[in-house]
Amino acid sequence: MSRDAASKIRVMIVDDEDLARQVLREYLSAHAEVEVIAECSNGFDAVKAVAESKPDLVLLDIQMPKLDGFEVLELIGAEGLAVVFVTAHDSHAIRAFEVHAVDYLLKPVAADRFEAALAHAKERLEGKVLTAAPPPAQLATAARPPSQFLDRIPVRNGSSVFIVPVAKLDYVEAQDDYVALASQGKKHLKQQTIAALEAALDPSRFLRIHRSYIVNLERVVKVEPYGKDSHMAILTSGVQLPVSRAGYARLRAFLDR
Amino acid sequence: MHPIFGQLRRLLLYLAAWIPLAALLAYLLSVTGELSRVESACLALPLCFLYAFVCLSAWYPCRVTPIDRTAINRLALTHVGGALVCSGVWVLAARILAWLLSSNVSEFRSLSVHLDPALPLIFGAGILLYLVSVFFYYALIALEASQQAEARVLQAGLLAREAELKALKAQVNPHFLFNSLNSISALTSSDPARAREMCILLGDFLRRTLGLGEKSAITLQEEISLIHAFLAVEKIRFGARLRMEETIAPEALGIDVPPLLLQPLVENAVVHGIANCIAGGWIRLGVQCEDGLLSVVVENQFDPEAPSRHKNGMGLMNVRQRLEARYGHRATFGVTSEGDRFRVGLTLPAERRSPAS
């Protein structure tokens, strides 16, 4: 499916600095086939605006208030969206391409580099059906440097965004394609597999005790036998979670350390 | 470790120094008492040899009662007591030696009797010699302390140089430059006059930081005007999001501070505070001068839930190291965060440039 020549490319600019947005707007103004549909100055607004106005291309700063560019990308999860990062930091380039960014522009942004990025984005959009990339959520997790574990998990509910600090996460429950994050008596649904989340959490603080459960070890009060072969973990909140045989072995191994 | 007893060479030298003392004692004994010259020499030599070792022990009380940190009466009590005891032991040793000689050697039969009138002389000499060694040890300890202090100063100087160099290299944050250039690039078409203004402000700030490389201290006033140059650039980038409040005691302006000590704190407040707040926030700079101490507080608002940037603290760590290397225990540095407020406080000795330099 090729892009209808009549319809414009809908672009969103996300940067917390007014002047930085202004440069991009100016570069885009030379292109009649492009339309700037929204400008956002922080990550929360960006997630909301993407959900509401479904842009084709997002020009995304990385260091912003509330959510950084990678967290925004993780949350918007829109298929067929082209993302170009625009930042003063060259240290995120590898990670950006791992999450399938179309291009990575460095500030100050040169006009010819911008044109090249726009051309790449158009190519990507033309063939957007062909590139059935994995869901961005998984990519963003996979691209995290191995030594660095999550310290917060952004969750999107419709167009609003909620941040779950990992320290306040009690346990995680798998629910089909989603995970439910239990924190401070509430559950937040996030589209992610439990295995991907497990990989992003610090293994010295979080343990997969069951096919469907990851538990925050600080919250575990005791583990009791339950039935013939299995156990039950009791958390500070009183919640009881099933512990599988393999999970129990992992728990024992952790406690013996 | 005993400074003399620990090394054979020093010990031999020390014992050699006692030979003239022994000769002197022998002479005194022969002139004042009823002892013959031979008797005096046979007594004085072994006695001095023994007392040389007794006096070595004076080092221990000297070490536990440092002369500059001990009350004078305690000092006197310790050493006079030590002198009396050691000299008493020495007199006793003299009598035992005399008795041994007189009962075993026929020529010295009357030695024991002849010695008695000389005992006060020996006792007095013992006290004197002991006190002399006390003075000697104190002099030795002072010498060692001054050598150590010199080495420490040298070390601190090296550390300070190193930290200074590192600081200057790290000083102009490249991302500050890149972002500023990007802002200028935006302004060139929309507001050329402002673009030019920003170029000039940026140039002004850079020139000031470059010139500071060779200086070891600048006045607080110069440092604050450097901060103003920095903020003037950042104000164009952040607009109304950046609000600066200053409370500066005017008498503090003339005080000397290491260059670029405070600017990194303000930059830190911008990068990790203001840049993460949607509506921006304030930075408060407070400077006070009291009791010979300059105290500076940089406080800023921040978003405790902001995404983590590269572990910051490099700038803060640098400031802390430079303070430590330069002032040691005379400077303090503390970081606290409470709610949405981040606070860096430091104190350093308020030094003013001497009129000569």
Side-chain angles (χ1 to χ4, degrees):
Chain A
M1 191 180 82
S2 129
R3 172 161 295 275
D4 182 356
S7 75
K8 289 185 170 183
I9 299 176
R10 295 152 57 78
V11 182
M12 200 170 103
I13 302 174
V14 186
D15 197 305
D16 62 320
E17 286 173 37
D18 188 23
L19 290 171
R21 293 197 300 272
Q22 194 183 306
V23 183
L24 300 177
R25 206 164 51 224
E26 189 191 325
Y27 285 159
L28 286 169
S29 66
H31 294 265
E33 76 282 14
V34 170
E35 181 189 7
V36 178
I37 52 160
E39 287 187 25
C40 306
S41 63
N42 67 73
F44 278 1
D45 288 355
V47 172
K48 198 170 170 211
V50 169
E52 283 167 0
S53 49
K54 302 265 175 240
D56 300 312
L57 170 63
V58 179
L59 303 175
L60 191 56
D61 186 14
I62 290 179
Q63 302 209 319
M64 291 180 295
K66 298 296 178 193
L67 291 174
D68 72 27
F70 289 103
E71 287 171 329
V72 168
L73 183 58
E74 185 185 334
L75 287 173
I76 52 186
E79 307 254 332
L81 178 77
V83 173
V84 172
F85 283 107
V86 187
T87 173
H89 296 256
D90 54 6
S91 53
H92 303 295
I94 293 173
R95 201 177 150 198
F97 287 108
E98 277 172 351
V99 295
H100 291 213
V102 171
D103 210 336
Y104 189 87
L105 293 176
L106 286 171
K107 292 175 183 174
V109 183
D112 55 344
R113 272 299 282 119
F114 184 83
E115 295 303 321
L118 192 60
H120 288 158
K122 280 183 195 160
E123 280 167 27
R124 176 76 65 93
L125 290 169
E126 305 275 316
K128 72 167 147 189
V129 180
L130 297 175
T131 54
Q138 279 177 23
L139 283 171
T141 321
R144 198 166 290 280
S147 58
Q148 187 192 338
F149 297 108
L150 286 179
D151 53 7
R152 48 192 235 137
I153 305 171
V155 184
R156 184 168 67 103
N157 179 13
S159 63
S160 69
V161 174
F162 191 82
I163 304 264
V164 180
V166 160
K168 290 184 178 162
L169 183 62
D170 298 330
Y171 64 93
V172 179
E173 184 181 0
Q175 295 182 351
D176 300 324
D177 290 342
Y178 288 84
V179 283
L181 310 171
S183 168
Q184 298 175 299
K186 287 193 194 125
K187 283 191 178 182
H188 308 277
L189 277 183
K190 182 180 170 74
Q191 193 179 10
Q192 192 176 27
T193 65
I194 195 165
L197 186 59
E198 185 192 3
L201 290 170
D202 182 354
S204 67
R205 293 165 68 198
F206 290 88
L207 198 73
R208 182 91 173 261
I209 52 166
H210 186 271
R211 193 164 45 90
S212 306
Y213 293 97
I214 298 172
V215 72
N216 183 342
L217 289 163
E218 282 173 18
R219 302 289 193 278
V220 179
V221 182
K222 56 183 170 181
V223 179
E224 287 183 343
Y226 184 80
K228 219 168 39 173
D229 245 355
S230 60
H231 288 77
M232 197 65 103
I234 298 163
L235 308 193
T236 43
S237 55
V239 172
Q240 302 191 344
L241 299 178
V243 181
S244 67
R245 218 153 51 161
Y248 187 66
R250 276 195 288 270
L251 206 55
R252 286 291 299 270
F254 180 82
L255 292 173
D256 288 346
R257 242 184 300 163
Chain B
M1 194 68 193
H2 198 289
I4 292 171
F5 207 60
Q7 291 179 25
L8 186 65
R9 229 180 69 110
R10 285 194 186 180
L11 185 64
L12 291 177
L13 257 168
Y14 171 76
L15 290 177
W18 275 80
I19 292 173
L21 288 176
L24 185 66
L25 184 68
Y27 172 73
L28 287 175
L29 285 176
S30 69
V31 219
T32 54
E34 300 158 29
L35 294 160
S36 72
R37 284 197 179 172
V38 182
E39 281 174 332
S40 300
C42 287
L43 268 178
L45 214 64
L47 276 181
C48 280
F49 185 72
L50 174 74
Y51 207 54
F53 286 95
V54 172
C55 284
L56 282 178
S57 69
W59 185 69
Y60 297 99
C62 286
R63 208 183 50 168
V64 295
T65 55
I67 199 155
D68 50 344
R69 272 174 286 152
T70 314
I72 187 82
N73 46 4
R74 202 181 143 212
L75 216 58
L77 201 72
T78 308
H79 296 305
V80 171
L84 289 173
V85 170
C86 289
S87 195
V89 169
W90 200 33
V91 168
L92 200 68
R95 293 208 66 162
I96 291 171
L97 183 65
W99 175 74
L100 280 174
L101 284 171
S102 61
S103 54
N104 290 319
V105 187
S106 51
E107 288 86 50
F108 295 155
R109 206 165 302 141
S110 53
L111 181 66
S112 212
V113 187
H114 290 164
L115 176 69
D116 282 351
L119 284 179
L121 172 75
I122 294 178
F123 187 67
I127 288 177
L128 207 64
L129 286 170
Y130 183 89
L131 290 179
V132 166
S133 29
V134 165
F135 290 126
F136 172 72
Y137 286 123
Y138 274 131
L140 206 65
I141 287 170
L143 187 74
E144 251 169 37
S146 79
Q147 273 171 350
Q148 271 175 13
E150 213 171 299
R152 226 181 0 244
V153 167
L154 218 66
Q155 179 91 22
L158 272 179
L159 275 176
R161 264 294 267 290
E162 214 168 287
E164 209 86 19
L165 278 176
K166 237 190 260 169
L168 290 170
K169 260 188 226 158
Q171 227 18 264
V172 177
N173 180 350
H175 300 119
F176 161 70
L177 268 185
F178 295 146
N179 281 314
S180 301
L181 290 172
N182 199 47
S183 303
I184 292 173
S185 145
L187 288 170
T188 45
S189 57
S190 66
D191 190 347
R194 225 147 149 250
R196 177 171 298 162
E197 182 197 337
M198 193 168 176
C199 279
I200 290 164
L201 289 171
L202 190 59
D204 181 41
F205 172 71
L206 289 177
R207 188 171 300 113
R208 280 167 192 265
T209 57
L210 287 178
L212 294 175
E214 301 97 53
K215 297 189 186 169
S216 71
I218 58 174
T219 61
L220 187 73
Q221 182 150 32
E222 287 173 273
E223 179 76 14
I224 285 174
S225 77
L226 188 78
I227 290 173
H228 289 162
F230 170 75
L231 286 171
V233 179
E234 294 290 58
K235 268 240 162 81
I236 295 181
R237 263 180 73 200
F238 289 105
R241 284 168 69 197
L242 176 57
R243 294 184 290 280
M244 184 74 188
E245 296 167 20
E246 291 178 350
T247 325
I248 295 165
E251 70 270 19
L253 289 173
I255 290 170
D256 274 356
V257 291
L260 294 168
L261 188 76
L262 307 183
Q263 186 271 337
L265 303 181
V266 175
E267 180 163 353
N268 193 67
V270 172
V271 174
H272 298 285
I274 306 307
N276 279 335
C277 298
I278 291 178
W282 44 256
I283 299 175
R284 286 186 190 140
L285 171 65
V287 179
Q288 276 185 321
C289 182
E290 260 177 8
D291 303 329
L293 274 184
L294 178 70
S295 65
V296 179
V297 173
V298 178
E299 216 177 345
N300 65 275
Q301 281 181 303
F302 78 108
D303 178 3
E305 291 192 342
S308 53
R309 304 209 163 191
H310 314 275
K311 273 300 154 230
N312 72 82
M314 269 317 288
L316 294 186
M317 185 114 74
N318 203 299
V319 170
R320 167 181 245 147
Q321 281 175 349
R322 288 171 66 203
L323 274 179
E324 227 163 66
R326 188 147 175 166
Y327 300 106
H329 296 303
R330 295 186 300 149
T332 64
F333 183 91
V335 176
T336 50
S337 85
E338 204 186 302
D340 69 342
R341 289 178 181 209
F342 188 81
R343 182 178 186 279
V344 180
L346 57 88
T347 61
L348 61 149
E351 291 165 352
R352 278 163 212 276
R353 204 164 304 186
S354 57
S357 61

Coordinates of all heavy atoms in Angstrom, one line a residue, chain B residues 43-105:
Chain B
L43 N 83.6 3.3 87.2 CA 82.1 3.5 87.5 C 81.4 4.2 86.4 O 80.3 3.7 86.0 CB 82.0 4.4 88.8 CG 82.0 3.6 90.1 CD1 81.9 4.6 91.3 CD2 80.8 2.7 90.2
A44 N 82.0 5.3 85.9 CA 81.2 6.2 85.0 C 80.9 5.5 83.7 O 79.8 5.6 83.1 CB 82.0 7.5 84.7
L45 N 81.9 4.7 83.1 CA 81.6 4.1 81.8 C 80.5 3.2 81.8 O 79.5 3.4 81.0 CB 82.9 3.5 81.4 CG 83.2 3.5 79.9 CD1 83.4 5.0 79.4 CD2 84.4 2.7 79.5
P46 N 80.4 2.1 82.7 CA 79.3 1.2 82.6 C 78.0 1.9 83.0 O 76.9 1.7 82.5 CB 79.6 0.1 83.6 CG 80.8 0.6 84.4 CD 81.5 1.7 83.6
L47 N 78.1 2.9 84.0 CA 76.9 3.6 84.4 C 76.3 4.4 83.2 O 75.0 4.4 83.0 CB 77.2 4.5 85.6 CG 77.2 3.9 86.9 CD1 77.5 4.9 88.0 CD2 75.9 3.2 87.3
C48 N 77.1 5.1 82.5 CA 76.6 5.9 81.4 C 76.0 5.0 80.3 O 75.0 5.3 79.7 CB 77.7 6.8 80.8 SG 77.9 8.2 81.8
F49 N 76.7 3.8 80.1 CA 76.2 2.9 79.1 C 74.8 2.4 79.5 O 73.9 2.4 78.7 CB 77.1 1.7 79.0 CG 76.8 0.7 78.0 CD1 77.0 1.0 76.6 CD2 76.2 -0.5 78.3 CE1 76.7 0.1 75.6 CE2 75.9 -1.4 77.3 CZ 76.1 -1.1 76.0
L50 N 74.6 2.1 80.8 CA 73.3 1.7 81.2 C 72.3 2.9 81.1 O 71.2 2.7 80.6 CB 73.4 1.3 82.7 CG 72.1 1.0 83.4 CD1 71.5 -0.3 82.9 CD2 72.2 1.0 84.9
Y51 N 72.7 4.1 81.5 CA 71.8 5.2 81.5 C 71.4 5.6 80.1 O 70.3 6.2 79.9 CB 72.4 6.4 82.3 CG 71.3 7.2 82.9 CD1 70.3 6.7 83.7 CD2 71.2 8.6 82.7 CE1 69.3 7.4 84.2 CE2 70.2 9.4 83.2 CZ 69.3 8.8 84.0 OH 68.3 9.6 84.6
A52 N 72.3 5.4 79.1 CA 71.9 5.7 77.8 C 70.7 4.9 77.4 O 69.8 5.5 76.7 CB 73.1 5.3 76.8
F53 N 70.6 3.7 77.8 CA 69.4 2.9 77.5 C 68.2 3.3 78.3 O 67.1 3.4 77.8 CB 69.7 1.4 77.7 CG 70.5 0.8 76.6 CD1 71.9 0.7 76.7 CD2 70.0 0.5 75.4 CE1 72.7 0.3 75.7 CE2 70.8 0.0 74.4 CZ 72.1 -0.1 74.5
V54 N 68.4 3.7 79.6 CA 67.3 4.2 80.4 C 66.7 5.4 79.7 O 65.5 5.6 79.6 CB 67.8 4.5 81.8 CG1 66.7 5.2 82.6 CG2 68.2 3.2 82.5
C55 N 67.6 6.3 79.2 CA 67.1 7.6 78.6 C 66.3 7.3 77.3 O 65.5 8.1 76.9 CB 68.2 8.5 78.4 SG 68.7 9.3 79.9
L56 N 66.6 6.2 76.7 CA 65.9 5.9 75.4 C 64.4 5.8 75.8 O 63.5 6.1 74.9 CB 66.3 4.5 74.9 CG 67.6 4.5 74.1 CD1 68.0 3.1 73.6 CD2 67.5 5.4 72.9
S57 N 64.1 5.3 77.0 CA 62.7 5.1 77.3 C 61.9 6.4 77.5 O 60.7 6.4 77.5 CB 62.6 4.3 78.7 OG 63.0 5.2 79.7
A58 N 62.6 7.5 77.6 CA 62.0 8.8 77.7 C 61.1 9.1 76.5 O 60.2 10.0 76.5 CB 63.0 9.9 77.9
W59 N 61.4 8.4 75.4 CA 60.6 8.7 74.1 C 59.2 8.4 74.3 O 58.3 9.1 73.8 CB 61.2 7.9 73.0 CG 60.6 8.2 71.7 CD1 60.7 9.4 71.0 CD2 59.7 7.4 70.9 NE1 60.0 9.3 69.9 CE2 59.4 8.1 69.8 CE3 59.2 6.1 71.1 CZ2 58.5 7.6 68.8 CZ3 58.4 5.6 70.1 CH2 58.1 6.3 69.0
Y60 N 58.9 7.3 75.1 CA 57.5 6.9 75.2 C 56.6 7.9 75.9 O 55.5 8.3 75.3 CB 57.4 5.5 75.8 CG 58.1 4.5 74.9 CD1 59.4 4.0 75.2 CD2 57.4 4.0 73.8 CE1 60.0 3.1 74.4 CE2 58.1 3.1 72.9 CZ 59.4 2.6 73.2 OH 60.0 1.8 72.4
P61 N 57.0 8.4 77.1 CA 56.2 9.5 77.7 C 56.1 10.7 76.8 O 55.1 11.4 76.8 CB 56.8 9.8 79.0 CG 58.1 9.1 79.0 CD 58.0 8.0 78.0
C62 N 57.1 11.0 76.0 CA 57.1 12.2 75.1 C 56.0 12.0 74.1 O 55.3 12.9 73.7 CB 58.5 12.4 74.5 SG 59.7 13.0 75.6
R63 N 55.9 10.7 73.6 CA 55.0 10.5 72.5 C 53.6 10.6 73.0 O 52.7 11.1 72.3 CB 55.3 9.2 71.8 CG 54.8 9.2 70.4 CD 55.0 7.8 69.8 NE 54.4 6.8 70.6 CZ 54.2 5.5 70.1 NH1 54.6 5.2 68.9 NH2 53.7 4.6 70.9
V64 N 53.3 10.1 74.2 CA 51.9 10.1 74.6 C 51.5 11.5 75.2 O 50.3 11.7 75.4 CB 51.6 9.0 75.7 CG1 51.7 7.6 75.0 CG2 52.5 9.1 76.9
T65 N 52.5 12.3 75.5 CA 52.1 13.7 75.9 C 52.6 14.7 74.9 O 53.7 15.3 75.2 CB 52.7 14.0 77.3 OG1 54.1 13.8 77.3 CG2 52.1 13.1 78.4
P66 N 51.9 14.9 73.8 CA 52.4 15.8 72.8 C 52.5 17.2 73.4 O 51.6 17.6 74.1 CB 51.3 15.8 71.7 CG 50.5 14.6 72.0 CD 50.6 14.3 73.5
I67 N 53.6 17.9 73.2 CA 53.9 19.1 73.9 C 52.9 20.2 73.6 O 52.6 21.0 74.5 CB 55.3 19.6 73.5 CG1 55.8 20.6 74.6 CG2 55.4 20.2 72.2 CD1 57.3 20.6 74.7
D68 N 52.3 20.2 72.4 CA 51.3 21.3 72.1 C 49.9 21.0 72.5 O 49.0 21.8 72.4 CB 51.4 21.6 70.6 CG 51.2 20.3 69.8 OD1 51.4 19.2 70.3 OD2 50.9 20.4 68.6
R69 N 49.6 19.7 72.9 CA 48.3 19.4 73.3 C 48.1 18.9 74.7 O 47.1 18.3 75.0 CB 47.7 18.3 72.3 CG 47.1 19.0 71.0 CD 46.7 17.9 70.0 NE 47.9 17.3 69.4 CZ 48.0 16.1 68.9 NH1 47.0 15.3 69.0 NH2 49.1 15.7 68.3
T70 N 49.1 19.1 75.5 CA 49.1 18.6 76.9 C 49.2 19.8 77.9 O 50.0 20.7 77.6 CB 50.2 17.6 77.2 OG1 50.3 16.7 76.1 CG2 50.0 16.8 78.5
A71 N 48.4 19.7 79.0 CA 48.5 20.8 79.9 C 49.9 20.9 80.5 O 50.5 19.8 80.7 CB 47.5 20.6 81.0
I72 N 50.4 22.1 80.9 CA 51.7 22.3 81.3 C 52.0 21.5 82.6 O 53.1 20.9 82.8 CB 52.1 23.8 81.4 CG1 53.5 24.0 81.7 CG2 51.2 24.5 82.4 CD1 54.4 24.0 80.5
N73 N 51.1 21.5 83.5 CA 51.3 20.8 84.8 C 51.4 19.3 84.6 O 52.2 18.6 85.3 CB 50.3 21.2 85.9 CG 48.9 21.1 85.4 OD1 48.7 20.7 84.2 ND2 47.9 21.5 86.2
R74 N 50.6 18.8 83.7 CA 50.7 17.4 83.4 C 52.0 17.0 82.8 O 52.7 16.0 83.1 CB 49.6 16.9 82.5 CG 49.3 15.5 82.7 CD 48.2 14.9 81.8 NE 48.6 13.6 81.4 CZ 48.3 13.1 80.2 NH1 47.5 13.7 79.4 NH2 48.7 11.9 79.9
L75 N 52.4 17.9 81.9 CA 53.7 17.7 81.2 C 54.9 17.7 82.2 O 55.7 16.8 82.2 CB 53.9 18.9 80.3 CG 54.6 18.7 78.9 CD1 53.8 17.7 78.1 CD2 54.6 20.0 78.2
A76 N 54.8 18.7 83.1 CA 55.9 18.8 84.1 C 55.9 17.5 85.0 O 56.9 16.9 85.3 CB 55.7 20.0 85.0
L77 N 54.7 17.2 85.5 CA 54.5 16.0 86.4 C 55.1 14.8 85.7 O 55.9 14.0 86.3 CB 53.0 15.8 86.7 CG 52.7 15.0 88.0 CD1 53.1 15.9 89.2 CD2 51.3 14.7 88.0
T78 N 54.7 14.5 84.5 CA 55.2 13.3 83.8 C 56.7 13.2 83.7 O 57.3 12.2 84.1 CB 54.6 13.3 82.3 OG1 53.2 13.6 82.4 CG2 54.9 12.0 81.6
H79 N 57.3 14.3 83.2 CA 58.7 14.2 82.9 C 59.6 14.4 84.2 O 60.6 13.7 84.3 CB 59.1 15.3 81.9 CG 58.4 15.0 80.6 ND1 58.5 13.8 80.0 CD2 57.6 15.7 79.8 CE1 57.8 13.8 78.9 NE2 57.2 15.0 78.7
V80 N 59.2 15.2 85.1 CA 59.9 15.3 86.4 C 59.8 14.0 87.1 O 60.8 13.5 87.6 CB 59.5 16.5 87.2 CG1 60.1 16.4 88.6 CG2 59.8 17.8 86.5
G81 N 58.6 13.4 87.1 CA 58.4 12.1 87.7 C 59.3 11.1 87.1 O 60.0 10.3 87.8
G82 N 59.3 11.1 85.8 CA 60.1 10.1 85.0 C 61.6 10.3 85.3 O 62.4 9.4 85.6
A83 N 62.0 11.6 85.4 CA 63.4 11.9 85.7 C 63.8 11.4 87.1 O 64.9 10.8 87.3 CB 63.7 13.4 85.6
L84 N 62.9 11.6 88.1 CA 63.2 11.2 89.5 C 63.4 9.7 89.5 O 64.3 9.1 90.1 CB 62.1 11.7 90.4 CG 62.1 13.2 90.7 CD1 60.9 13.6 91.5 CD2 63.4 13.6 91.4
V85 N 62.4 9.0 88.9 CA 62.4 7.5 89.0 C 63.7 7.0 88.3 O 64.4 6.2 88.9 CB 61.1 7.0 88.3 CG1 61.3 5.4 88.1 CG2 59.9 7.3 89.2
C86 N 64.0 7.5 87.1 CA 65.1 6.9 86.3 C 66.4 7.2 87.0 O 67.3 6.4 87.1 CB 65.1 7.5 84.9 SG 63.8 6.9 83.9
S87 N 66.5 8.5 87.6 CA 67.7 8.8 88.2 C 67.9 8.0 89.5 O 69.0 7.6 89.9 CB 67.7 10.3 88.5 OG 69.0 10.7 88.9
G88 N 66.8 7.8 90.2 CA 66.8 6.9 91.4 C 67.3 5.5 91.1 O 68.2 5.0 91.8
V89 N 66.8 5.0 90.0 CA 67.3 3.7 89.5 C 68.7 3.7 89.2 O 69.5 2.8 89.6 CB 66.5 3.2 88.3 CG1 67.1 2.0 87.6 CG2 65.0 2.9 88.6
W90 N 69.1 4.8 88.7 CA 70.6 4.9 88.3 C 71.5 4.9 89.5 O 72.5 4.3 89.6 CB 70.7 6.2 87.5 CG 72.0 6.2 86.6 CD1 72.6 5.2 86.1 CD2 72.8 7.4 86.3 NE1 73.7 5.6 85.4 CE2 73.8 6.9 85.5 CE3 72.7 8.8 86.6 CZ2 74.8 7.8 85.0 CZ3 73.6 9.6 86.1 CH2 74.7 9.1 85.3
V91 N 71.1 5.7 90.5 CA 71.8 5.8 91.8 C 71.9 4.4 92.4 O 73.0 3.9 92.9 CB 71.2 6.8 92.8 CG1 71.8 6.6 94.2 CG2 71.4 8.2 92.2
L92 N 70.8 3.7 92.4 CA 70.8 2.3 92.9 C 71.8 1.5 92.2 O 72.5 0.7 92.7 CB 69.3 1.8 92.8 CG 69.0 0.6 93.7 CD1 69.0 1.0 95.1 CD2 67.7 0.0 93.3
A93 N 71.7 1.6 90.8 CA 72.7 0.8 90.0 C 74.1 1.1 90.3 O 75.0 0.3 90.4 CB 72.4 1.1 88.5
A94 N 74.4 2.4 90.6 CA 75.7 2.9 90.9 C 76.2 2.2 92.2 O 77.3 1.7 92.3 CB 75.8 4.4 91.1
R95 N 75.3 2.1 93.2 CA 75.6 1.5 94.5 C 75.9 0.0 94.3 O 76.8 -0.6 94.8 CB 74.5 1.7 95.5 CG 74.4 3.1 95.9 CD 73.8 3.3 97.3 NE 74.8 2.8 98.3 CZ 74.7 3.1 99.6 NH1 73.8 3.9 100.0 NH2 75.5 2.6 100.4
I96 N 75.0 -0.7 93.5 CA 75.2 -2.1 93.3 C 76.5 -2.4 92.6 O 77.3 -3.2 93.0 CB 74.0 -2.7 92.4 CG1 72.7 -2.6 93.3 CG2 74.3 -4.1 92.0 CD1 71.5 -2.9 92.5
L97 N 76.8 -1.5 91.6 CA 78.1 -1.7 90.8 C 79.3 -1.5 91.8 O 80.2 -2.3 91.8 CB 78.1 -0.7 89.7 CG 79.3 -0.8 88.8 CD1 79.3 -2.1 88.0 CD2 79.3 0.4 87.8
A98 N 79.2 -0.5 92.6 CA 80.3 -0.2 93.5 C 80.4 -1.3 94.5 O 81.6 -1.8 94.8 CB 80.0 1.1 94.3
W99 N 79.3 -1.9 94.9 CA 79.4 -3.0 95.9 C 80.0 -4.2 95.2 O 80.9 -4.9 95.8 CB 78.0 -3.3 96.4 CG 77.9 -4.5 97.3 CD1 78.4 -4.6 98.6 CD2 77.5 -5.8 96.9 NE1 78.2 -5.8 99.1 CE2 77.6 -6.6 98.1 CE3 76.9 -6.3 95.8 CZ2 77.2 -7.9 98.1 CZ3 76.5 -7.6 95.8 CH2 76.7 -8.4 96.9
L100 N 79.6 -4.5 94.0 CA 80.1 -5.6 93.2 C 81.6 -5.5 93.0 O 82.4 -6.4 93.2 CB 79.4 -5.7 91.9 CG 78.0 -6.4 91.9 CD1 77.4 -6.3 90.5 CD2 78.1 -7.9 92.3
L101 N 82.0 -4.3 92.6 CA 83.4 -4.0 92.4 C 84.3 -4.2 93.6 O 85.3 -4.8 93.7 CB 83.7 -2.6 91.7 CG 83.3 -2.5 90.3 CD1 83.3 -1.0 89.8 CD2 84.2 -3.4 89.4
S102 N 83.7 -3.6 94.7 CA 84.5 -3.5 95.9 C 84.6 -4.9 96.6 O 85.6 -5.3 97.2 CB 84.0 -2.5 97.0 OG 82.6 -2.9 97.3
S103 N 83.6 -5.8 96.3 CA 83.7 -7.1 97.0 C 84.4 -8.1 96.1 O 84.8 -9.2 96.5 CB 82.3 -7.6 97.3 OG 81.5 -7.6 96.2
N104 N 84.6 -7.8 94.8 CA 85.3 -8.7 93.9 C 86.7 -8.4 93.5 O 87.5 -9.2 93.2 CB 84.4 -8.9 92.6 CG 83.2 -9.7 92.9 OD1 83.2 -10.6 93.7 ND2 82.1 -9.2 92.3
V105 N 86.9 -7.0 93.4 CA 88.3 -6.6 93.0 C 89.0 -6.0 94.2 O 88.5 -5.0 94.8 CB 88.1 -5.6 91.8 CG1 89.5 -5.3 91.3 CG2 87.2 -6.2 90.7

